[in-house]
Amino acid sequence: MKRNYQKELEKIIEKQQQLHIVPKLLLHSCCAPCSSYVLEYLSQHYQITVFYYNPNIYPAEEYGKRAKEQRCFIQRFSQSCLADKEKAFHAIDFCEGRFEQERFYEISKGLEHLSEGGERCFRCYELRLKEAAKYALELGMDYFTTTLSISPLKNADKLNEIGEKLSQEYGISYLCSDFKKKNGYKRSVELSKEYEMYRQDYCGCVFSKQERERKSLQQAQVMV
């Protein structure tokens, strides 16, 4: 039977509210646009540290642009929440991981030819989530999770499978999610426009960039 990760998350949050506790959450973020709705939603219930760790991003200039946008969004979002006395909100911290491109290319060896959404992507999920689990443990967090499930192009089942495996391995709870549910992805698009965020047109790695360029070229040729 297929799990409903959104309902599971809602039950966890409901129980925490009944106990009047605000757990500490390490939120791995892939980019500012994807983090927007997730932070709007979860900052009402958790003390969040956003962990920006994405060694897959190509090129280095793109990585810098996305990391800067993430920091700027957290600052602007926090200011907006503080100004709105009716909005429930817990302070958000930010930490940027190391930009270790060689680690991404190492786990991608032999899988360079695959289309986006396959085994190469699953290894990339695990690379980033493993680093998040380690850092969450180091910081003494109660949970770790990722914004990745908000994307319609990301496999929520696989993300949660990896997260739960790492939870067992490192002894820290993983917060299962499917943030695209309940119009989460739609809301992230709205927030991106509201905050005038830089919104990339490819996932991030060199392979997804090449795939995007091939598809754009094919579309252009069809239109000629």
Side-chain angles (χ1 to χ4, degrees), residues 96-117:
E96 184 176 347
R98 290 170 293 183
F99 184 42
E100 306 168 308
Q101 280 187 309
E102 68 281 358
R103 292 188 67 187
F104 171 71
Y105 291 121
E106 184 178 336
I107 60 102
S108 299
K109 283 181 181 177
L111 305 173
E112 296 89 346
H113 64 287
L114 295 181
S115 297
E116 189 176 350

Side-chain angles (χ1 to χ4, degrees), residues 6-217:
Q6 176 60 31
K7 285 195 177 296
E8 289 182 22
L9 176 56
E10 288 172 359
K11 286 180 180 178
I12 290 171
I13 291 173
E14 183 181 1
K15 185 175 180 180
Q16 289 163 352
Q17 288 178 318
Q18 290 171 351
L19 295 172
H20 302 287
I21 59 174
V22 182
K24 293 182 290 184
L25 169 68
L26 185 83
L27 176 66
H28 164 264
S29 177
C30 56
C31 64
C34 286
S35 77
S36 58
Y37 163 73
V38 180
L39 287 174
E40 181 183 63
Y41 176 35
L42 293 184
S43 65
Q44 301 175 68
H45 311 292
Y46 294 90
Q47 298 176 54
I48 299 174
T49 294
V50 172
F51 181 49
Y52 188 83
Y53 177 72
N54 299 292
N56 57 310
I57 304 301
Y58 174 87
E61 293 80 8
E62 178 72 15
Y63 172 88
K65 188 184 293 187
R66 297 191 193 193
K68 180 180 178 182
E69 191 66 45
Q70 181 69 78
R71 287 192 296 270
C72 289
F73 171 68
I74 291 172
Q75 183 179 27
R76 294 176 65 199
F77 175 74
S78 298
Q79 290 171 345
S80 173
C81 289
L82 288 170
D84 186 348
K85 302 302 181 182
E86 296 183 2
K87 186 177 290 185
F89 162 76
H90 296 285
I92 300 167
D93 293 324
F94 174 77
C95 178
E96 184 176 347
R98 290 170 293 183
F99 184 42
E100 306 168 308
Q101 280 187 309
E102 68 281 358
R103 292 188 67 187
F104 171 71
Y105 291 121
E106 184 178 336
I107 60 102
S108 299
K109 283 181 181 177
L111 305 173
E112 296 89 346
H113 64 287
L114 295 181
S115 297
E116 189 176 350
E119 180 61 30
R120 187 185 64 243
C121 292
F122 298 161
R123 290 190 186 184
C124 185
Y125 297 169
E126 185 162 8
L127 172 65
R128 290 183 278 175
L129 281 172
K130 183 176 287 188
E131 200 68 18
K134 290 178 182 178
Y135 196 57
L137 192 62
E138 183 181 324
L139 292 182
M141 309 300 276
D142 299 302
Y143 293 93
F144 75 104
T145 195
T146 179
T147 62
L148 284 165
S149 70
I150 199 168
S151 170
L153 299 176
K154 299 296 185 291
N155 188 319
D157 289 329
K158 195 66 180 180
L159 282 164
N160 288 302
E161 176 189 319
I162 292 169
E164 291 186 318
K165 183 189 76 169
L166 293 171
S167 172
Q168 293 293 318
E169 185 177 339
Y170 289 95
I172 181 166
S173 296
Y174 181 75
L175 201 63
C176 287
S177 68
D178 192 354
F179 292 120
K180 70 178 72 66
K181 298 294 186 182
K182 302 191 77 171
N183 290 319
Y185 177 71
K186 179 183 176 184
R187 178 59 179 156
S188 75
V189 173
E190 293 171 352
L191 286 166
S192 296
K193 292 178 180 177
E194 180 181 331
Y195 284 88
E196 299 181 329
M197 276 190 263
Y198 165 65
R199 193 174 182 89
Q200 61 277 3
D201 64 355
Y202 67 101
C203 176
C205 73
V206 62
F207 310 114
S208 65
K209 188 174 191 297
Q210 291 169 347
E211 187 172 335
R212 172 67 178 175
E213 289 170 349
R214 282 196 300 270
K215 288 181 179 178
S216 295
L217 180 59

